[in-house]
Amino acid sequence: MILTVTLNTALDLTYTVPALAPHTAHRVTDVAERPGGKGVNVARVLAALGHEAVVTGFAGGPTGAVLRDLLAPLPVRDALVPSSDTTRRTVAVVDTATGDATQFSEPGPVVTPGEWAAFVGTYEELLGGADAVALCGSLPRGIHVGAYGELVRRARRAGVPVLLDTSGEPLRRGIAARPDLVKPNADELAALTGSREPLRAARDARRRGAHAVVASLGPDGLLAVTPDGTWSAAPPAPVAGNPTGAGDSAVAGLLSALAEGVPWPGRLARAAALATATVYAPAAGEFDAARYGELLDLVTVTEEATAA
């Protein structure tokens, strides 16, 4: 079983419009509603790849109830902890003329100390049956900034490999707890290390505590700096579409390959192919399965020089 943690879950709404223009009214041609948050998206992709996936985090209020109703028919086990405050929504507006997406994210709920304690108890129980765990996304209000560091340490004590995918101070605190893998994007990596040069920044992130670093570089693919070597993975060509959830699919690819014992080049190829196939899909947490199969053979994985 692979456990994904989404402390700040969301109900994801995707609006499709013929063309997005400021200061005008828009006729929405399609609406999609999905259970969301980074770890929820990761779990959905893991399940589609054939893995048992469990989601935990918080869900509350009317929005949280809708989220759980939407989760119920999916091949993902719901272990979300109730919160008294309501779950947030995110809205992505997809412009069909350009293929671009614009996203709006509401603030998350306020989590009480008692709710946090209940979550930690659930997390500890789930770790007992987990092959790997992913800690994903932002922190809702009320949770201390070092929360991910605490969860990383609990996973390490349980002997469960842990991937951290967050940003800002939660990433800085979490990486110091020595996660097995961190997966920042280029901006998050630069904010953490102060360097815009991806290879230098990824090496710096490893020195800060991460066992391995996989950086998402947008259309340029992925860069992995690991104890076993350094590799880059590039998709065959840039694609237009909705990039929401592409990084989450990359996380699912890395976790699924880790659970299956796939070596690093294969892990990167899977992650890059899934991320690209997600851009073709209409909503986060989904990927174009046919294109994924094609892309897996087309991703280029290159070993980089290992000198620091």
Side-chain angles (χ1 to χ4, degrees), residues 149-162:
E150 176 185 343
L151 299 182
V152 168
R153 287 187 289 271
R154 290 178 183 273
R156 288 177 57 82
R157 285 197 295 269
V160 179
V162 56

Side-chain angles (χ1 to χ4, degrees), residues 161-188:
V162 56
L163 180 152
L164 177 62
D165 183 13
T166 188
S167 60
E169 192 61 22
L171 174 60
R172 192 179 305 277
R173 301 283 188 95
I175 205 171
R178 307 187 66 80
D180 295 270
L181 175 61
V182 296
K183 195 216 69 61
N185 62 31
D187 290 339
E188 292 162 352

Side-chain angles (χ1 to χ4, degrees), residues 58 69 108 115 135 139 168 195 264 287 303:
F58 295 99
D69 287 344
E115 290 164 350
L135 309 175
L139 296 177
S195 174
W264 269 108
F287 62 94
E303 189 165 10

Side-chain angles (χ1 to χ4, degrees), residues 8 30 62 107 204 242 267-268:
N8 209 6
D30 186 64
D204 186 357
N242 181 5
R267 293 184 202 179
L268 280 187

Side-chain angles (χ1 to χ4, degrees), residues 82-175:
S83 65
S84 53
D85 204 358
T86 192
T87 297
R88 67 190 176 124
R89 295 169 296 181
T90 67
V91 178
V93 181
V94 177
D95 181 333
T96 56
T98 63
D100 293 334
T102 301
Q103 184 161 319
F104 303 87
S105 297
E106 295 180 352
V110 177
V111 175
T112 68
E115 290 164 350
W116 172 249
F119 165 79
V120 171
T122 297
Y123 177 70
E124 290 274 13
E125 290 178 11
L126 292 169
L127 284 176
D131 299 312
V133 58
L135 309 175
C136 302
S138 60
L139 296 177
R141 293 169 292 173
I143 294 182
H144 62 96
V145 74
Y148 279 135
E150 176 185 343
L151 299 182
V152 168
R153 287 187 289 271
R154 290 178 183 273
R156 288 177 57 82
R157 285 197 295 269
V160 179
V162 56
L163 180 152
L164 177 62
D165 183 13
T166 188
S167 60
E169 192 61 22
L171 174 60
R172 192 179 305 277
R173 301 283 188 95
I175 205 171

